[in-house]
Amino acid sequence: MGNASRKLDKTLVLVGLMGCGKSSVGRRLAQRLGVEFVDTDDEIAEAAGMSIPEIFERFGEKGFRDGEVKVISRLLSGRPNVMATGGGAFMSPLVRAEVERVGTSIWIRADLNTLWGRVRGKPGRPLLEAENPKQILSNLMDERYPIYGTADVIVESRAENGHETVVNDILKGLDDFSSRQSEEK
Ligand code: S3P
């Protein structure tokens, strides 16, 4: 599929657990499509004037989630682009409803060892600042995968493959999704 010639009429919203590659894949996907890339965590941090760990520390997870919903709604009302969301964003029914209305959701699925290999030892993720971060990731998989599974397009990220493979799989998944949609009409 000719990538840059593909006209983006809806924002592509990347969802998935920490370490699945939303930001790295999103940046490359946006480049291929010739559109802007936004990372909602960066936007939340900028709006708050502090880092994500600082937001969690000062306002708790609830405070962070409130800010997250507001920032995502604002960003979704802008021009179609590629958006990487924080891992918890798509768990909000409000965010899901808004994404369904104006965007296309894409879940980058990965198994536990792939995720763990990418996040272990990396600071900046308050939910994993615990004694058993791998167990926490595993619990989050149980909790979130059924919801992520409602995304419009689902692709797999494997430890042995590069981000470009995921980008190609997303472009193909988007084609399949639009064919399915036109069949339904
Ligand atoms: C979170 C994921 C983080 C960030 C915050 C909470 C989550 O984003 O939004 O620490 O609930 O899974 P990444 O998925 O980009 O690491």
Side-chain angles (χ1 to χ4, degrees):
M1 169 86 202
N3 306 318
S5 60
R6 177 197 293 265
K7 193 184 164 296
L8 198 62
D9 52 5
K10 283 184 160 191
T11 287
L12 303 180
V13 183
L14 301 179
V15 308
L17 215 49
M18 296 173 265
C20 73
K22 292 165 294 203
S23 303
S24 314
V25 167
R27 215 167 277 121
R28 286 169 176 80
L29 179 63
Q31 209 170 25
R32 286 272 280 273
L33 295 169
V35 297
E36 216 186 305
F37 168 73
V38 287
D39 184 302
T40 62
D41 276 347
D42 290 348
E43 297 285 333
I44 295 162
E46 197 182 313
M50 59 184 103
S51 69
I52 303 291
E54 280 167 347
I55 300 174
F56 268 74
E57 207 178 302
R58 287 198 43 193
F59 305 109
E61 183 172 351
K62 167 88 175 60
F64 172 75
R65 298 293 173 209
D66 291 347
E68 185 171 50
V69 172
K70 280 192 200 123
V71 166
I72 292 178
S73 303
R74 168 171 59 79
L75 293 170
L76 280 171
S77 69
R79 246 203 287 165
N81 58 22
V82 174
M83 179 187 294
T85 61
F90 202 61
M91 297 306 289
S92 152
L94 261 174
V95 168
R96 286 204 300 282
E98 195 70 356
V99 171
E100 199 182 321
R101 201 169 60 81
V102 296
T104 304
S105 49
I106 300 163
W107 173 25
I108 305 177
R109 184 170 56 195
D111 65 24
L112 180 60
N113 285 330
T114 301
L115 297 169
W116 178 237
R118 291 183 188 148
V119 301
R120 68 181 303 175
K122 297 211 183 109
R125 292 187 167 104
L127 294 183
L128 300 182
E129 296 296 325
E131 259 176 48
N132 51 354
K134 193 175 178 185
Q135 184 59 47
I136 290 176
L137 264 182
S138 166
N139 296 346
L140 288 172
M141 285 174 79
D142 292 342
E143 196 182 303
R144 294 179 177 177
Y145 277 21
I147 302 283
Y148 292 157
T150 65
D152 299 321
V153 173
I154 301 176
V155 294
E156 186 83 22
S157 174
R158 296 186 175 80
E160 65 273 21
N161 288 340
H163 295 305
E164 284 301 330
T165 307
V166 183
V167 170
N168 291 334
D169 290 348
I170 289 176
L171 292 170
K172 177 164 183 317
L174 286 169
D175 284 343
D176 294 345
F177 177 63
S178 29
S179 324
R180 281 204 309 275
Q181 280 204 313
S182 21
E183 276 165 24
E184 277 166 24
K185 272 182 199 153

